[in-house]
Amino acid sequence: MAQKTQPHSGDVDTFLATIADEPKRADSHALIAMMQEVSGSPPVLWGTMIGFGQYHYKYASGHEGDSFLIGFSPRKAEFSLYLLAAHEGKNAERQAGLLARLGRHRAGKGCLYVKRLADIDMDVLRDVCALTVQHMRQTYPQ
């Protein structure tokens, strides 16, 4: 079965221009600047997600594919931030400590959900991004 979500050549700025909510558009630009700096990779569209960097995974089941190291999607209700990669060990402990200081958010297994960047501490978010990039590069070396 082919992987549905893949990087494509769509223009990130054109995509962002479709966001009617000006504060959400401004927050999206701020996320792009920060995630690009932390990852060292330019923004790339993956469907309606904006990803930075890339890695290849292969599970014991044989399923494999590619994904971005970190990224986000400016959903209508809130941002989906694809950052939570560490689920056990020291990185998971560090991640939990950072999330405790982040501010107003909710978390899923692999995502943070944030309504607006003014609700969170951007320095802590930068640290979560850096930890995720470090963790993903250790887990999936090129």
Side-chain angles (χ1 to χ4, degrees):
M1 183 167 144
Q3 180 177 326
K4 286 184 183 181
T5 305
Q6 297 185 13
H8 60 85
S9 61
D11 184 68
V12 173
D13 288 328
T14 301
F15 171 70
L16 293 180
T18 67
I19 300 172
D21 182 281
E22 175 54 39
K24 184 167 292 268
R25 193 168 48 249
D27 281 354
S28 295
H29 284 288
L31 285 170
I32 286 172
M34 189 259 300
M35 288 183 171
Q36 183 170 355
E37 181 182 325
V38 169
S39 69
S41 300
V44 174
L45 283 175
W46 293 65
T48 59
M49 299 174 284
I50 300 169
F52 301 82
Q54 189 170 333
Y55 70 96
H56 184 78
Y57 61 87
K58 184 171 184 176
Y59 299 137
S61 67
H63 175 79
E64 63 182 298
D66 297 296
S67 190
F68 47 81
L69 294 172
I70 58 175
F72 74 96
S73 183
R75 307 275 185 227
K76 187 169 184 146
E78 59 195 352
F79 285 98
S80 295
L81 306 172
Y82 305 103
L83 299 173
L84 303 182
H87 301 292
E88 57 187 43
K90 284 189 178 197
N91 284 342
E93 292 172 21
R94 287 182 56 210
Q95 180 175 276
L98 290 168
L99 295 181
R101 298 186 356 244
L102 182 61
R104 214 149 123 205
H105 74 281
R106 57 188 186 89
K109 184 172 181 176
C111 293
L112 289 176
Y113 302 96
V114 175
K115 287 197 182 278
R116 59 190 150 271
L117 297 186
D119 292 341
I120 60 173
D121 184 321
M122 289 299 290
D123 290 332
V124 174
L125 182 62
R126 175 184 296 278
D127 290 345
V128 173
C129 288
L131 178 62
T132 302
V133 168
Q134 173 194 353
H135 177 80
M136 296 307 290
R137 287 184 174 151
Q138 287 172 345
T139 306
Y140 302 98
Q142 297 295 344

